[in-house]
Amino acid sequence: MTALGSAARPEPQSFERVLSSMCTEPHPAAREAATHFLATNPGDPDTYPAVAALEREVVSMLGDVVDHQDPTGYVATGGTEANIQAVRAARNLAATDDPNVVGPESLHFSFQKAADVLDVDLRLAPVDEDYRADVDAIADRIDDDTVLVVGIAGTTEYGRVDPIPALSDVARDADARFHVDAAWGGFALPFTDEQWNFAHADIDTMTIDPHKLGQAAIPAGGFIATDERTLDALAVDTPYLESTGQATLTGTRSGAGVASAHAALSAQWPDGYRENYETGMNLATWFAEEMRVRGYDVVSPHHPIVAVDIPTGDFEALTEAGWRLARTSAGELRVVMMPHVTRDSLAGFLADVDDLASS
Ligand code: 0PR
């Protein structure tokens, strides 16, 4: 027997103790569809028309989620690609040769990558005392070279929603484009009274990721734009393919992501996602209170993310006990109530927290 043949097949990470991730167990229909379409490449729609048709439907379904009647866009590899593309479109459509992008300091680090690869200046403004973008601070950083203003609908660390309508006004006044990053929040916020989507503000582009709360298989990000002009600004000629242009950042890409996004949305929008949101929110409220009564400082959850100030030693001991945990930049424990997180698993976590206190 060869060494290769005798090697035990490694198991993927079990979700049981994963409290850090914005990804989750795919919906069963999404898992099945991903396997079925594994060998297709939506980057070549003429050769792989079935997956290309599914992708058009996914964009239209995402339009329902974000309240846009006639969206354009595509299934990206994830939020990083979608955010890079938003910056790239804004840069390509603007006249300046010294472009800058303005957003809150709570922006996901994918914008740092965008600024780096696109040679755009990223200007970050402080957030307010509730971790939301401060509109005046954003406005102060805008000038004639600002090509894009960014707002976040569901921040990575605290799940906060920026004042999207006000940020959109500020962008318009400056003749800049406006992008909303709803990579994580997009499948939660439809069930809240937050003002975050195309019905509430003048938005040019949006990121909304099926592979996070959408319960699609990785890689499935969503890049949504209001007009074809945006995609035209991203497209390059593809002389040796039958189709004549490609607007995506990647070339060959996975049909698994596209097909699984289609299956997950078909199975879950809207009732399944509403249920996930309500369950996640109930868990967040309960867990926040459980940590509070144990004497920890908790950042009140607006959406299913809880941040708790715990000592570094405790964080390390809990990691040692097998919990997969994340920290905010301020060092708080951050728990994301994804669909795989249950009351039982959180009760197990709390029991370990109690053991620490008594040891
Ligand atoms: N925008 C926001 C608001 C995000 O939270 C993230 C990811 C992105 C964009 C980028 O999305 P992709 O990672 O799909 O490109 N935020 C998570 C984070 O940084 C990503 C993550 C997901 C990390 C799963 C760990 C993990 O297991 O925490």
Side-chain angles (χ1 to χ4, degrees):
M1 199 186 289
T2 64
L4 200 60
S6 64
R9 192 171 106 154
E11 284 302 315
Q13 172 69 36
S14 146
F15 277 104
E16 214 180 306
R17 293 192 161 214
V18 174
L19 303 181
S20 55
S21 189
M22 288 196 157
C23 295
T24 192
E25 193 87 72
H27 186 279
R31 186 182 283 276
E32 198 276 327
T35 315
H36 196 53
F37 277 85
L38 193 59
T40 62
N41 171 21
D44 180 2
D46 294 298
T47 307
Y48 302 95
V51 76
L54 285 183
E55 182 167 29
R56 286 190 293 275
E57 286 184 32
V58 170
V59 170
S60 155
M61 291 157 119
L62 287 174
D64 291 340
V65 180
V66 302
D67 235 320
H68 193 303
Q69 302 279 307
D70 187 24
T72 176
Y74 69 93
V75 177
T77 47
T80 299
E81 180 184 342
N83 286 340
I84 291 173
Q85 292 283 74
V87 175
R88 183 171 163 233
R91 186 201 65 171
N92 290 357
L93 285 165
T96 173
D97 52 17
D98 189 18
N100 69 70
V101 171
V102 180
E105 63 189 6
S106 47
L107 282 184
H108 186 256
F109 54 74
S110 48
F111 288 95
Q112 309 276 1
K113 299 182 185 178
D116 187 24
V117 293
L118 296 167
D119 198 17
V120 164
D121 186 23
L122 182 61
R123 298 182 177 174
L124 300 181
V127 292
D128 66 17
E129 66 289 343
D130 192 30
Y131 311 99
R132 300 165 81 222
D134 175 331
V135 179
D136 291 336
I138 298 268
D140 282 349
R141 281 158 181 79
I142 293 176
D143 62 19
D144 291 346
D145 293 320
T146 302
V147 299
L148 183 71
V149 174
V150 179
I152 316 168
T155 57
T156 308
E157 296 196 331
Y158 301 111
R160 293 304 195 250
V161 178
D162 289 336
I164 299 299
L167 289 176
S168 141
D169 289 346
V170 162
R172 280 303 150 251
D173 289 349
D175 269 337
R177 284 167 65 92
F178 183 49
H179 175 70
V180 171
D181 182 357
W184 178 77
F187 286 90
L189 300 174
F191 314 109
T192 70
D193 56 10
E194 298 278 9
Q195 303 221 315
W196 68 285
N197 68 25
F198 289 90
H200 306 118
D202 192 358
I203 298 167
D204 294 296
T205 49
M206 185 184 279
T207 296
I208 168 170
D209 286 353
H211 74 198
K212 295 193 172 72
L213 281 171
Q215 280 194 281
I218 303 168
F223 178 66
I224 298 295
T226 44
D227 57 18
E228 288 295 337
R229 206 172 136 248
T230 301
L231 292 191
D232 290 346
L234 295 169
V236 297
D237 293 341
T238 52
Y240 53 85
L241 294 181
E242 269 184 79
S243 46
T244 53
Q246 194 176 73
T248 53
L249 195 57
T250 53
T252 301
R253 61 201 164 95
S254 170
V258 170
S260 78
H262 190 276
L265 275 151
S266 303
Q268 304 248 93
W269 172 257
D271 296 340
Y273 294 130
R274 180 184 291 113
E275 230 170 83
N276 283 349
Y277 175 74
E278 285 168 1
T279 306
M281 201 56 226
N282 285 339
L283 286 177
T285 311
W286 170 75
F287 179 73
E289 190 50 30
E290 289 292 321
M291 289 303 278
R292 251 186 225 118
V293 299
R294 286 166 172 79
Y296 295 101
D297 280 340
V298 177
V299 178
S300 282
H302 290 189
H303 299 300
I305 291 184
V306 184
V308 187
D309 195 6
I310 66 168
T312 305
D314 290 4
F315 188 94
E316 284 165 2
L318 290 161
T319 304
E320 199 61 30
W323 296 99
R324 301 275 72 91
L325 306 174
R327 276 180 196 278
T328 66
S329 48
E332 296 128 336
L333 161 74
R334 186 200 63 161
V335 176
V336 191
M337 302 300 170
M338 295 299 291
H340 64 265
V341 176
T342 63
R343 200 169 167 117
D344 276 356
S345 63
L346 290 172
F349 179 80
L350 290 168
D352 284 357
V353 169
D354 291 338
D355 282 351
L356 283 178
S358 61
S359 64

